[in-house]
């Protein structure tokens, strides 16, 4: 195998997480030709990861450089490259809202917010300046409460951000900046599960911010940093009085 195809497979193996790489390798192994419909499902199942461009380039290189190769060979090649690579440990992942780049596989904000909420087993801390149009997230928060998670929601008074959480009422704790506080706005955007994972960035908990606006966030999986972040908000409420119950 020579030309662009090996390089494309190697680049794809570097970008794909392990479970997605296995899915791609399996699909290639059963594909009969470059435009087999089984390959279209790869992109359909992960539309937010910016992989359509890779599939187009791989199909073109396969057709132009090695049309005689069966999909089995490409699938095995991709799987082999993936196994020989030693991934660098990462404690942060990119998350976006709005348009996704075809060159950079990323997660969308709403899906990652749901994943972080679902990962909580003991505590869940949610901070946002505004909140509306998030019935699915509120349902996930309700599920977290059902499994015994203690939930604290920190929002600003000026945006009516408590309204989406009314169905949960006394089952969660809601906090606002206290009246007369030297700092008058809760502008942070954070979802922290226990002390192990946190999503933080520019997106408010609103339908447009989670889906349509151009927003950028990071999900952190470093308990040292996430723990300090959670402790900071606990300190704001328990020690300084900056945050008061809503």
């Amino acid at each position: 195998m020579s030309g662009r195809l090996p390089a494309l497979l190697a680049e794809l193996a570097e970008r794909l997480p392990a479970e997605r790489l296995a899915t791609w390798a399996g699909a290639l192994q059963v594909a009969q030709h470059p435009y087999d419909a089984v390959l279209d499902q790869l992109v359909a199942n992960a539309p937010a990861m910016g992989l359509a461009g890779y599939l187009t380039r791989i199909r073109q290189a396969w057709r132009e450089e090695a049309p005689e190769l069966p999909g089995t060979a490409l699938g095995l090649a991709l799987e082999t490259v993936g196994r020989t690579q030693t991934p660098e440990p990462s404690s942060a992942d990119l998350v976006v809202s709005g348009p996704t780049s075809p060159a950079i596989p990323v997660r969308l904000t709403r899906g990652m917010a749901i994943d972080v909420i679902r990962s909580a087993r003991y505590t869940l801390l949610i901070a946002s300046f505004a909140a509306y149009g998030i019935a699915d997230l509120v349902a996930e928060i309700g599920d977290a409460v059902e499994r015994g998670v203690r939930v604290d929601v920190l929002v600003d008074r000026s945006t009516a951000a408590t309204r989406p959480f009314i169905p949960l009422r006394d089952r969660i704790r809601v906090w606002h900046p206290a009246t007369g506080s030297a700092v008058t706005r809760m502008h942070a955007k954070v979802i922290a599960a226990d002390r192990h994972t946190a999503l933080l960035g520019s997106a408010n908990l609103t339908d447009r911010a989670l889906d349509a606006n151009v927003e950028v966030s990071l999900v952190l999986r470093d308990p040292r940093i996430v723990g300090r972040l959670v402790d900071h908000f606990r300190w704001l409420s328990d020690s300084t009085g900056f945050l008061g119950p809503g």
Side-chain angles (χ1 to χ4, degrees):
M1 197 186 303
S2 62
R4 292 171 296 156
L5 193 52
L8 285 169
L9 292 175
E11 187 176 355
L12 181 63
E14 182 180 353
R15 290 183 178 274
L16 284 175
E19 68 277 6
R20 293 298 301 167
L21 190 146
T23 300
W24 274 67
L28 283 167
Q29 289 184 41
V30 300
Q32 299 298 312
H33 52 79
Y35 294 96
D36 195 312
V38 70
L39 300 179
D40 294 318
Q41 198 61 37
L42 293 170
V43 175
N45 287 340
M49 295 188 69
L51 296 173
Y54 276 102
L55 180 57
T56 298
R57 292 193 292 275
I58 287 172
R59 281 173 154 170
Q60 183 178 3
W62 184 4
R63 178 175 59 83
E64 294 177 356
E65 298 175 2
E68 74 286 354
L69 279 181
T72 304
L74 270 67
L76 290 173
L78 179 61
E79 185 177 354
T80 300
V81 172
R83 288 180 177 177
T84 58
Q85 289 180 342
T86 303
E88 295 182 2
S90 175
S91 59
D93 286 323
L94 177 64
V95 183
V96 304
S97 300
T100 58
S101 166
I104 307 173
V106 292
R107 290 290 307 275
L108 290 183
T109 309
R110 185 181 294 272
M112 182 55 76
I114 290 173
D115 284 354
V116 173
I117 293 170
R118 288 177 177 175
S119 73
R121 292 295 175 265
Y122 306 104
T123 62
L124 186 61
L125 186 146
I126 298 172
S128 185
F129 176 69
Y132 57 82
I134 54 167
D136 53 343
L137 266 66
V138 172
E140 293 289 345
I141 295 168
D143 290 344
V145 172
E146 289 293 330
R147 61 177 181 268
V149 176
R150 188 186 74 181
V151 178
D152 289 279
V153 175
L154 290 53
V155 291
D156 201 76
R157 290 182 184 275
S158 66
T159 61
T162 58
R163 289 179 182 172
F165 305 101
I166 289 176
L168 300 176
R169 296 184 182 276
D170 297 332
R171 303 170 67 199
I172 64 174
R173 299 193 301 178
V174 178
W175 303 82
H176 295 293
T179 302
S181 171
V183 181
T184 59
R185 290 287 181 263
M186 169 53 64
H187 209 255
K189 292 91 175 179
V190 176
I191 301 177
D194 302 328
R195 300 173 66 84
H196 56 70
T197 306
L199 173 67
L200 61 160
S202 64
N204 282 301
L205 290 181
T206 68
D207 49 1
R208 290 198 58 81
L210 294 176
D211 297 315
N213 293 347
V214 175
E215 310 277 1
V216 178
S217 303
L218 289 175
V219 58
L220 300 179
R221 298 184 182 87
D222 186 331
R224 296 169 300 171
I225 297 176
V226 176
R228 291 168 61 191
L229 178 67
V230 170
D231 288 342
H232 174 68
F233 283 105
R234 302 286 182 221
W235 175 77
L236 285 175
S237 57
D238 297 337
S239 301
T240 69
F242 166 61
L243 290 175

